[in-house]
Amino acid sequence: MLLKITKRNTLLIGPPGIGKTSLVKRLVIRINSGEVPIKLAGTSILRLDMASLLAKTKYRGDFERKILDMLNEYREIEKINEGANIDRVVNKILINSTFNWAPSNHCLCGLLFSGPTGTGKTHLVKEIACEFNLKLLQIDLSEHSTVNKLLGAPPGYTGAGKGMLTEFLSAYQRGILFFDEAEKVGDFQIINLFLQMLDEGRISSNDGQTFSLSSMIIIFATNAVTSTKQLGYNNGETMNPKQILTGARIFPKEMLNRLDDILIFNHLEPGDMVNIFFRDLEIFAKNMQENNRIRIRYARKGFLEKYISERITPGMNGRDMPRLINGLILDRLIEKIASNSNYNITLNEHFFK
C-alpha cells in the first residue's frame, strides 16, 4: 500500500487495544533497522495528536500555526533498549491473541525482563499496557512476598479475600500482571503459584474463588545476572538468556521453561542516556506547555547534546534523567520567568550561563 504510486494513504480502523498504534511503531522500528524496501528507507513518521492540535484553536489560523510550529520543532527520538524488545513483545502478544497458539488453559503470554536498574524494563511494561489498552497491576515482590498478600488470607483471618492479585482479577478480565524484583522471592509457595499461573492459566484465592488468566499477560522483571561474565565465564562463550538465568540459579528451570520469552536489557551507553534525556525533555516540555503555557524549544540540538553529554556521569541510568532535567533546566526556567515574565524559553548557550 505504502509503495503504490497513487492512492497510498492508509487508514487503520478498529476498536481500541487491538494493535493499530503498535503496527505503526513496528513500521518505525523496521525503517530504523533497514528492514524495508529502498523506497521507504530513511522515511520519518510524525505522530500527531489531533485532540491536542484542535484544542484552543478558536480563531482562524490557530490550527495552521500549531501544525507549522510542530513541523518546525519535529525531531525523532529513538527509544533506548526498546526497539528490538518491543518488536519481540508485540509479536508474541499478537500471535498468541490472534492465532490462539497457546492452550486455552494457558495465560495469554508469559515474559521475563532481565537487566540492570534504569534500563527500561518498567517503562516497556507501561508502554505495552498503553498500546494494548490494558489495565496494569504492578507488584513489588521485595515488599509483597507472601501468598496471603497476593491471594488474601484464609476465611476467618484478617485480610481474608483481599489479596492484591485476586482483587485485580475480580475487577478486570484483561490486563498485565507485572511482578517486579522477582529475584527476591524466597517463598516456594509463591514460586509454585507462578508455575500454576504460567502452566494452568488460573489461580484460586484462599476463600475458594477461581480466576482465569487466559486473557492476562504475565511479566516478571529482575535485576539478576544478565551476562556470562558474572557467572565466572571468561572464555567468550555465547549463552542464550535462558541458559544465563539457569546458570545463575535464581529461578527454577521449570519456571523458565514455561515462559514465552526472556528479554535482556543491556547497560546504557552515554549516547543512550542522551537520547533518553531528549525523550524525557519532550515530555517535560509538553507538560509545561499544557499546564503552564510555557513554551520550551532549542535552537541547536548539537549544542544541547554536547552540554548534556558532559554532565552525564558513570553510574547514571534512565531514572536519573528527570532529576537531571530538574537540576539543569527547571531551576533556571523559574529564574528566567520570574525575572522577565518570558514564557517562551529557548535552551541555548545564554540560557545555561
Side-chain angles (χ1 to χ4, degrees):
M1 174 65 74
L2 297 177
L3 297 176
K4 291 174 64 177
I5 297 176
T6 60
K7 297 182 179 180
R8 57 184 178 183
N9 296 317
T10 304
L11 178 63
L12 304 180
I13 301 176
I18 62 171
K20 300 186 296 298
T21 304
S22 297
L23 181 62
V24 177
K25 286 194 172 184
R26 290 174 66 197
L27 175 61
V28 172
I29 292 169
R30 295 194 177 191
I31 290 172
N32 290 338
S33 61
E35 300 175 8
V36 292
I38 192 168
K39 287 186 178 181
L40 288 179
T43 300
S44 295
I45 295 180
L46 176 61
R47 177 175 179 170
L48 302 180
D49 185 333
M50 296 308 298
S52 298
L53 287 173
L54 290 172
K56 300 178 183 178
T57 55
K58 181 178 179 181
Y59 300 104
R60 172 183 260 180
D62 286 348
F63 178 73
E64 290 81 357
R65 276 192 292 274
K66 290 183 79 170
I67 289 287
L68 288 174
D69 287 343
M70 180 172 288
L71 291 174
N72 288 334
E73 295 177 7
Y74 170 60
R75 54 188 164 75
E76 182 182 349
I77 301 296
E78 290 184 8
K79 299 205 169 189
I80 309 309
N81 250 332
E82 292 178 14
N85 278 343
I86 198 169
D87 204 21
R88 283 173 61 180
V89 171
V90 168
N91 279 335
K92 290 287 182 183
I93 296 171
L94 290 178
I95 289 173
N96 287 5
S97 60
T98 304
F99 298 103
N100 295 317
W101 292 94
S104 58
N105 63 341
H106 194 278
C107 67
L108 181 61
C109 195
L111 305 166
L112 188 148
F113 296 170
S114 181
T117 299
T119 52
K121 300 185 297 296
T122 301
H123 183 77
L124 179 53
V125 173
K126 292 178 178 178
E127 284 283 310
I128 297 167
C130 180
E131 292 307 318
F132 286 93
N133 194 27
L134 297 172
K135 295 294 182 180
L136 171 63
L137 173 64
Q138 181 173 348
I139 297 177
D140 187 336
L141 291 174
S142 65
E143 300 175 3
H144 305 281
S145 56
T146 66
V147 170
N148 284 354
K149 286 186 177 181
L150 299 180
L151 302 183
Y157 290 83
T158 303
K162 292 185 178 180
M164 293 181 65
L165 188 53
T166 51
E167 289 269 296
F168 181 84
L169 294 174
S170 296
Y172 307 107
Q173 294 183 336
R174 299 171 63 245
I176 297 178
L177 307 177
F178 176 41
F179 298 97
D180 201 5
E181 304 282 354
E183 76 279 4
K184 295 181 180 178
V185 174
D187 189 338
F188 282 102
Q189 286 185 308
I190 291 187
I191 295 294
N192 289 333
L193 175 64
F194 290 159
L195 292 176
Q196 180 185 350
M197 292 169 63
L198 293 169
D199 198 32
E200 300 178 13
R202 61 179 174 82
I203 59 170
S204 298
S205 64
N206 282 326
D207 61 2
Q209 287 182 283
T210 299
F211 300 92
S212 172
L213 305 176
S214 59
S215 296
M216 289 286 168
I217 298 169
I218 302 175
I219 302 177
F220 303 95
T222 175
N223 300 325
V225 59
T226 58
S227 69
T228 57
K229 186 176 181 180
Q230 290 175 269
L231 295 176
Y233 294 93
N234 295 310
N235 56 0
E237 181 180 349
T238 301
M239 300 172 70
N240 63 41
K242 185 181 292 186
Q243 290 174 317
I244 293 174
L245 289 169
T246 300
R249 296 182 179 179
I250 294 173
F251 301 102
K253 189 174 181 180
E254 296 83 2
M255 179 177 168
L256 298 177
N257 287 338
R258 285 166 170 79
L259 296 168
D260 290 288
D261 205 353
I262 299 172
L263 284 73
I264 298 296
F265 288 69
N266 298 312
H267 285 279
L268 298 177
E269 300 295 331
D272 300 331
M273 301 293 291
V274 171
N275 285 336
I276 292 176
F277 175 89
F278 276 99
R279 183 196 69 192
D280 289 348
L281 177 61
E282 183 177 287
I283 297 170
F284 174 80
K286 182 179 179 181
N287 290 337
M288 283 293 173
Q289 173 78 34
E290 293 178 352
N291 301 327
N292 304 289
R293 298 183 180 179
I294 298 172
R295 190 176 186 185
I296 300 173
R297 62 173 68 192
Y298 48 84
R300 294 193 297 116
K301 185 176 180 180
F303 159 76
L304 194 54
E305 284 180 338
K306 184 174 183 297
Y307 184 84
I308 298 305
S309 296
E310 293 171 348
R311 283 152 183 83
I312 292 176
T313 59
M316 276 188 167
N317 58 53
R319 292 178 180 168
D320 293 313
M321 292 304 101
R323 288 191 289 273
L324 191 63
I325 289 174
N326 287 342
L328 295 179
I329 297 176
L330 183 59
D331 295 342
R332 289 183 173 88
L333 188 68
I334 295 172
E335 293 176 6
K336 299 286 184 184
I337 293 174
S339 62
N340 58 23
S341 300
N342 181 11
Y343 282 69
N344 292 304
I345 303 296
T346 301
L347 305 180
N348 53 21
E349 293 92 334
H350 179 71
F351 176 85
F352 290 105
K353 281 185 179 178

